[in-house]
């Protein structure tokens, strides 16, 4: 055995390492093959390092995967050529495949330099014209090392022409191609298994293309994307306008009439939506050690200018934040699996809030968020939704302590957004996606309020959660102070909502004592009850605010807001119902087809009586009938929404007075955004309706007060933002 290993090492040393043998190997079929595989793997690793920023690897397993993931795939793909007997065809096929794979790699490198993203099949095939944003094709950024992506191919061809490499006429031994294929297959399988352990649900949730490339490699990612695109394409191809008619009829039948008491109450006002990351209703009014966790949000909740809801549920699926966003902007559900943003967002037809408000009330629009622009495919989705400005983490200084792994800290996000916010023409529709209150809820000591002592619950997640809740509360308060000082508050409606749970079912029982419950009695209905998230509509000047107990959820927000703004939602295809309508149905559908009403709930196949918190072991015949009826309503609603989205049926329908959104009208580069906002202000001169214009072209930033300790920190060249990996829970302070 020892001798065999020794011989093998000797063989490797002489045949592979020592340069004078290289040419001899290149003159055999197997040698030529091995060199091509080796070069392709090296070039891929070069691209990972020099261009794709090492894909933000975080742990040794990921580093290992980076080096391994090109090997299996390349071996499998190229092994097919080993079956070819005629020498010219064998060498030709190998070189063509080599060129194709190198081209795929290189195109991705160039594309990444411009868009910080990988090529999807749609982009490659040109179905989805990428907005060049005024950048001429000539502006492609070349790098010095680019030569390495091609030099091996050029050298091989040169060696063949000069007959230094001669075609080897001997085909490989009978089992050799199969052996090589099997080794490649084995490597790829191990790669997939390790990836699944390190990052479960990688394929189903599809967070980000970078995740997929990091774990699977560029080739498998492209094939998976092609498969996905093909599947979506098939579903879409088969769709007919008649299917749309079915959906449209369903939606019209379920339209909940306008309540005149509220219709148009906020007409013409700016809208600011504050997305409270992972923030649950149970934190509202909660006291820990006798102290309120979120005193400011509580004061808004009880404010006479606020309509607040205490039975409002999140309805997200695997797309988490992106599902919540989709529901709020479109009043359609996310998908049964994965994120609609990631899966369909490249070419979906949306009739979404920013476009609707722009076309009905000349609203300008912007999203502010501290994470990179590509996460959840937002770079593409927002264009299709008609967002004019997408001010992502790529715009801000996120260096040093200014960010957590998820992006710019909330206090800084609100403050640093001001130069953009004040330049938006009014009325505007602006959305803030906060992110500091995101699992694992770790926060630097300097950001913590020394006067706030959190729980000692037995779960670190729970204890930390209240700390970041408290921070989020302070951040929102600082922003409200600015809105008041700058005068924006007067003509603005602020909508606040929580996107989904922060404490998972696994940790929820630790909340029992805090919520005055018995931990040993904790059940499925308790978990479902925790899916409540805040929903508040704050309108300064309104006097008759109240806490509304209607059961509803995220799907209902768009029509509610539209009606408050005096825009009738009737002609749009929306699955939610105005929460303020007398006809609003109180059946809340969860994405997994479970449901809850004020009286009953159906959770994982069991029924519950909501008010008494008891399971219904033996439903009566009447109850069975009623539950079946509710279930069928829930299932139909979700199916209708899925049919609309998966088949992209909105392309068959343009509501009266609505102009379809064109992706190419939008450019989210920082340079273009700043120039655009400036030129709008200049063009309008005295008629500019931006806060900046109204303030005699003076910035209002000096009116912003924050106690964020990092606000004055100099920019450094370190950053903690590792958004694509950040739900790695081991990532602590
Ligand atoms: C990412 C942030 C969080 O940018 O919005 O997304 P989530 O993990 O909550 O879906
Ligand atoms: Mn979220």
């Amino acid at each position: 055995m020892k001798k065999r290993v020794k011989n093998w090492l000797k063989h490797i040393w002489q045949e592979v390492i020592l340069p004078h043998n290289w040419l001899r190997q290149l003159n055999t079929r197997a040698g030529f093959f091995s060199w091509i595989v080796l070069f392709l793997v090296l070039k891929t690793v070069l691209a990972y390092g020099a261009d794709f920023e090492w894909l933000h690897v975080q742990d040794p397993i990921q580093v290992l995967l980076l080096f391994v993931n090109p090997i299996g795939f390349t071996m499998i793909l190229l092994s097919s050529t080993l079956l070819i007997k005629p020498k010219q065809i064998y060498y030709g096929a190998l070189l063509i495949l080599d060129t194709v794979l190198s081209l795929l790699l290189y195109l991705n490198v160039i594309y990444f330099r411009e868009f910080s993203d990988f090529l999807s099949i749609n982009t490659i095939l040109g179905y989805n014209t990428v907005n060049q944003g005024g950048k001429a094709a000539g502006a492609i950024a070349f790098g010095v090392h680019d030569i390495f992506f091609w030099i091996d191919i050029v050298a091989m061809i040169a060696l063949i022409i000069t007959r230094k490499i001669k075609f080897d006429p001997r085909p490989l031994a009978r089992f050799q191609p199969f052996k090589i294929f099997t080794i490649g297959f084995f490597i790829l399988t191990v790669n997939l298994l390790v990836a699944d352990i390190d990052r479960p649900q990688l394929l189903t949730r599809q967070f980000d293309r970078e995740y997929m490339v990091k774990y699977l490699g560029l080739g498998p990612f492209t094939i998976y994307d092609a498969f996905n695109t093909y599947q979506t394409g098939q579903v879409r191809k088969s769709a007919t306008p008649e299917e749309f008619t079915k959906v449209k009829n369903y939606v019209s039948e379920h339209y909940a009439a306008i309540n005149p008491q509220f219709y148009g109450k906020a007409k013409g006002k700016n809208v600011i939506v504050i997305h409270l990351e992972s923030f649950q209703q149970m934190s509202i009014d909660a006291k820990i050690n006798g102290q309120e966790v979120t005193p400011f949000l509580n004061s808004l909740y009880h404010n006479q200018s606020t309509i607040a809801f205490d039975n409002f549920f999140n309805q997200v699926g695997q797309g988490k934040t992106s599902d919540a966003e989709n529901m709020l902007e479109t009043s359609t559900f996310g998908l049964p699996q994965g994120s609609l943003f990631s899966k369909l967002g490249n070419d979906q037809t949306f009739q979404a809030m920013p476009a609707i408000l722009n076309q009905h009330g000349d609203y300008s629009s912007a999203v502010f968020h501290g994470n990179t622009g590509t996460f959840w495919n937002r770079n593409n989705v927002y264009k299709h939704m008609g967002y004019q400005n997408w001010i992502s983490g790529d715009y801000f200084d996120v260096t040093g302590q200014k960010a957590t792994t998820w992006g710019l800290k909330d206090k800084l996000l609100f403050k640093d957004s001001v130069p953009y916010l004040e330049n938006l023409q009014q009325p505007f529709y602006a959305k803030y996606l906060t992110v500091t209150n995101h699992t694992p809820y770790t926060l630097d000591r300097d950001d913590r309020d020394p006067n706030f002592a959190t729980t000692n619950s037995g779960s670190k997640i729970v204890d930390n959660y209240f700390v970041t809740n408290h921070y989020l509360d302070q951040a929102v308060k600082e922003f409200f102070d600015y809105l008041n000082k700058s005068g924006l508050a007067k003509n603005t409606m602020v909508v606040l909502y929580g996107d989904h749970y922060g404490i998972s079912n696994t940790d929820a029982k630790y909340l029992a004592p805090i919520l005055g419950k018995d931990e040993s009695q904790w059940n499925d209905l308790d978990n479902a009850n925790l899916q409540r998230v805040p929903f508040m509509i704050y309108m300064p000047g309104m006097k008759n605010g109240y806490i509304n107990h209607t059961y509803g959820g995220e799907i209902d927000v768009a029509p509610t807001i539209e009606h408050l703004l005096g825009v009738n939602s009737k002609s749009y295809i929306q699955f939610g119902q105005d929460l303020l309508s007398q006809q609003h149905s109180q059946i809340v559908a969860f994405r997994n087809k479970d449901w809850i009403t004020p009286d009953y709930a159906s959770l994982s196949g069991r029924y519950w009586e909501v008010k008494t918190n008891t399971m219904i072991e033996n439903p009566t015949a009447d109850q069975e009938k009623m539950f079946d009826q509710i279930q069928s309503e829930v299932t139909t609603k979700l199916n209708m929404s899925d049919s609309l989205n998966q088949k992209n049926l909105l392309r068959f329908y343009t509501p009266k007075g609505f102009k379809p959104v064109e992706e190419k009208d939008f450019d989210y580069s920082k340079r273009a955004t700043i120039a655009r906002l400036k030129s709008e202000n200049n063009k309008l001169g005295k008629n500019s309706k931006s806060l900046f214009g109204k303030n005699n072209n003076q910035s209002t930033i000096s009116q912003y007060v924050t106690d964020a300790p990092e606000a004055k920190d100099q920019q450094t060249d370190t950053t903690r933002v590792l958004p694509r990996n950040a739900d790695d829970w081991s990532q602590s302070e």
Side-chain angles (χ1 to χ4, degrees):
M1 185 68 189
K2 234 181 175 169
K3 202 161 161 223
R4 255 180 88 176
V5 173
K6 221 169 127 191
N7 279 343
W8 186 71
L9 285 174
K10 203 168 135 200
H11 175 81
I12 297 271
W13 172 255
Q14 283 178 351
E15 299 294 314
V16 183
I17 317 268
L18 289 182
H20 61 262
N21 283 326
W22 290 357
L23 210 59
R24 196 157 50 79
Q25 290 152 26
L26 277 166
N27 273 295
T28 67
R29 283 200 183 201
F32 190 74
F33 178 89
S34 313
W35 277 90
I36 287 195
V37 172
L38 179 70
F39 277 126
L40 275 169
V41 170
L42 289 178
K43 291 196 285 191
T44 310
V45 175
L46 172 72
Y48 286 168
D51 295 288
F52 306 152
E53 300 154 27
W54 288 115
L55 300 162
H56 302 97
V57 280
Q58 261 189 317
D59 60 48
I61 293 185
Q62 293 175 2
V63 177
L64 189 76
L65 285 178
L66 274 199
F67 284 88
V68 171
N69 73 35
I71 303 175
F73 173 74
T74 316
M75 280 176 76
I76 292 176
L77 199 72
L78 299 192
S79 67
S80 58
T81 61
L82 297 171
L83 295 167
I84 302 172
K85 292 215 165 90
K87 58 181 183 183
Q88 277 90 351
I89 303 184
Y90 167 73
Y91 282 91
L94 208 47
L95 280 173
I96 288 172
L97 274 181
D98 185 14
T99 311
V100 169
L101 288 180
S102 303
L103 190 67
L104 177 70
L105 179 66
Y106 189 58
L107 287 178
N108 269 289
V109 165
I110 291 177
Y111 189 78
F112 195 93
R113 285 180 191 150
E114 182 66 38
F115 299 103
S116 302
D117 202 353
F118 297 94
L119 277 172
S120 68
I121 282 292
N122 274 334
T123 321
I124 297 174
L125 299 181
Y127 288 146
N128 156 36
T129 26
V130 179
N131 174 22
Q132 291 300 321
K135 281 175 214 94
I140 290 174
F142 292 107
V144 184
H145 65 273
D146 288 11
I147 186 162
F148 292 113
F149 292 114
W150 297 108
I151 197 156
D152 60 317
I153 298 180
V154 174
M156 295 271 195
I157 293 174
L159 289 171
I160 289 171
I161 292 173
T162 56
R163 303 195 51 80
K164 290 261 182 323
I165 296 178
K166 291 187 204 74
F167 290 168
D168 179 358
R170 299 160 300 161
L172 256 63
R174 210 142 59 104
F175 291 109
Q176 219 52 2
F178 183 66
K179 219 157 112 187
I180 292 174
F181 173 85
T182 313
I183 295 172
F185 191 77
F186 177 75
I187 296 176
L188 191 73
T189 312
V190 172
N191 181 168
L192 282 173
L193 283 175
V194 175
D196 195 63
I197 294 166
D198 199 55
R199 176 61 279 182
Q201 293 187 314
L202 176 73
L203 292 182
T204 47
R205 279 195 75 196
Q206 299 185 337
F207 309 84
D208 189 303
R209 296 195 225 285
E210 189 170 300
Y211 256 116
M212 310 256 279
V213 174
K214 172 162 51 190
Y215 284 102
L216 306 180
L218 207 51
F221 157 72
T222 310
I223 289 176
Y224 183 75
D225 182 61
F227 171 71
N228 213 351
T229 309
Y230 172 78
Q231 248 190 348
T232 312
Q234 286 307 100
V235 173
R236 291 181 174 203
K237 224 169 44 210
S238 64
T240 59
E242 288 71 52
E243 287 175 85
F244 174 72
T245 311
K246 251 205 229 152
V247 176
K248 186 166 193 291
N249 291 342
Y250 170 86
V251 169
S252 330
E253 277 161 30
H254 291 79
Y255 174 76
I258 279 165
N259 182 342
Q261 198 195 332
F262 296 100
Y263 190 71
K265 266 271 174 299
K267 200 173 173 69
K269 278 185 190 288
N270 300 317
V271 181
I272 295 181
V273 176
I274 303 182
H275 168 116
L276 304 166
E277 177 58 44
S278 307
F279 189 72
Q280 299 177 204
Q281 177 70 15
M282 60 101 185
S283 292
I284 296 284
D285 284 345
K287 278 192 177 167
I288 290 170
N289 306 318
Q291 218 178 340
E292 290 176 82
V293 180
T294 57
F296 182 69
L297 290 171
N298 299 348
S299 76
L300 280 182
Y301 182 67
H302 296 286
N303 198 297
Q304 56 171 359
S305 301
T306 304
I307 304 174
F309 292 80
D310 61 356
N311 288 310
F312 178 88
F313 289 80
N314 87 77
Q315 296 165 292
V316 306
Q318 289 177 324
K320 300 287 284 287
T321 290
S322 66
D323 279 0
E325 286 191 65
N326 178 63
M327 278 185 277
L328 262 86
E329 307 288 13
T330 69
S331 190
T332 68
F333 288 94
L335 297 177
Q337 262 112 37
S339 154
L340 184 145
F341 271 34
S342 305
K343 273 192 159 161
L344 308 177
N346 287 345
D347 58 359
Q348 185 82 344
T349 306
F350 290 107
Q351 285 151 15
M353 286 294 269
I356 294 173
L357 296 185
N358 177 261
Q359 299 190 25
H360 287 281
D362 204 15
Y363 275 70
S364 64
S365 54
V367 189
F368 300 96
H369 182 46
N371 197 354
T372 44
T374 51
F375 202 92
W376 285 134
N377 200 18
R378 288 177 174 119
N379 272 357
N380 291 315
V381 174
Y382 287 160
K383 288 182 183 167
H384 292 283
M385 289 187 161
Y387 264 112
Q388 294 169 340
N389 302 286
W390 165 211
I391 317 290
S392 69
D394 306 335
Y395 280 59
F396 304 115
D397 170 12
V398 293
T399 64
Q401 306 251 96
K402 289 185 172 135
T404 66
T405 50
W406 284 99
L408 190 64
K409 290 176 182 167
D410 296 341
K411 285 185 182 174
L412 300 173
L413 171 74
F414 282 121
K415 174 162 192 267
D416 293 350
S417 74
V418 166
Y420 300 97
L421 182 72
E422 66 184 3
N423 274 296
L424 294 178
Q425 293 300 315
Q426 302 183 67
F428 55 71
Y429 173 67
K431 169 160 84 172
Y432 282 81
L433 300 167
T434 65
V435 84
T436 310
N437 186 53
H438 192 290
T439 172
Y441 313 109
T442 43
L443 194 63
D444 291 316
R445 196 158 300 281
D446 289 352
D447 291 308
R448 298 190 204 165
D449 177 354
N451 300 315
F452 177 75
T454 189
T455 47
N456 195 353
S457 66
S459 154
K460 210 169 160 220
I461 287 285
V462 169
D463 300 344
N464 287 345
Y465 183 64
F466 293 117
V467 174
T468 46
N469 277 190
H470 188 69
Y471 173 88
L472 172 62
D473 184 69
Q474 293 179 325
V476 174
K477 178 178 188 303
E478 290 181 355
F479 185 52
F480 267 73
D481 287 346
Y482 162 79
L483 292 178
N484 285 321
K485 241 194 246 173
S486 66
L488 266 182
K490 275 201 308 291
N491 52 339
T492 299
M493 167 168 91
V494 188
V495 176
L496 302 103
Y497 85 106
D499 63 341
H500 49 75
Y501 67 81
I503 303 299
S504 67
N505 290 353
T506 333
D507 284 297
K509 56 181 179 298
Y510 294 99
L511 290 170
I514 301 158
L515 303 172
K517 296 203 150 235
D518 181 351
E519 190 183 316
S520 63
Q521 306 287 312
W522 194 263
N523 61 36
D524 281 357
L525 183 61
D526 291 319
N527 283 330
N529 278 327
L530 276 182
Q531 301 311 311
R532 285 178 175 81
V533 289
F535 178 54
M536 307 186 221
I537 302 166
Y538 171 74
M539 230 189 295
M542 184 174 70
K543 290 272 178 290
N544 44 0
Y546 66 108
I547 296 173
N548 182 316
H549 307 302
T550 305
Y551 271 57
E554 289 165 333
I555 198 77
D556 301 316
V557 173
T560 310
I561 294 180
E562 283 159 358
H563 290 173
L564 281 166
L565 294 173
V567 175
N568 194 340
S569 65
K570 194 159 189 172
S571 58
Y572 292 97
I573 305 301
Q574 301 183 338
F575 293 89
Q577 295 175 323
D578 181 349
L579 286 161
L580 297 165
S581 163
Q582 308 284 357
Q583 296 173 358
H584 179 271
S585 144
Q586 298 204 76
I587 301 171
V588 181
F590 294 117
R591 183 54 264 195
N592 61 3
K593 299 193 174 143
D594 284 354
W595 48 262
I596 189 164
T597 73
D599 299 310
Y600 301 102
S602 167
L603 307 166
S604 321
R606 292 175 200 277
Y607 299 114
W608 294 80
E609 210 171 80
V610 167
K611 292 201 171 98
T612 56
N613 195 343
T614 45
M615 199 200 288
I616 305 174
E617 310 258 7
N618 301 306
T620 63
D622 281 354
Q623 278 180 329
E624 287 268 24
K625 219 168 118 199
M626 173 177 61
F627 296 156
D628 286 350
Q629 173 60 29
I630 296 175
Q631 188 62 61
S632 123
E633 274 181 49
V634 165
T635 310
T636 313
K637 187 146 116 169
L638 289 162
N639 288 349
M640 287 285 168
S641 172
D642 292 345
S643 162
L644 180 89
N645 280 327
Q646 282 164 339
K647 298 175 188 160
N648 195 20
L649 297 179
L650 281 182
R651 74 198 138 116
F652 296 126
Y653 174 65
T654 309
K656 227 171 125 202
F658 184 83
K659 211 173 112 266
V661 174
E662 298 252 20
E663 176 196 20
K664 67 167 171 34
D665 292 343
F666 305 100
D667 182 351
Y668 295 154
S669 71
K670 186 172 178 180
R671 189 173 32 84
T673 301
I674 291 174
R676 182 174 59 241
L677 292 173
K678 238 197 206 133
S679 87
E680 277 165 7
N681 266 314
N682 291 344
K683 227 173 36 214
L684 290 165
K686 289 220 161 344
N687 295 326
S688 171
K689 287 185 283 178
S690 71
L691 182 63
F692 182 79
K694 290 195 176 298
N695 198 34
N696 301 318
N697 289 348
Q698 298 283 313
S699 176
T700 55
I701 189 78
S702 60
Q703 292 164 12
Y704 205 104
V705 181
T706 175
D707 66 4
E710 311 85 0
K712 292 198 178 66
D713 286 0
Q714 292 294 314
Q715 189 155 350
T716 69
D717 49 14
T718 60
T719 181
R720 293 164 165 173
V721 185
L722 292 166
R724 298 171 180 93
N725 275 324
D727 54 356
D728 173 3
W729 285 44
S730 62
Q731 181 74 37
S732 52
E733 293 158 279

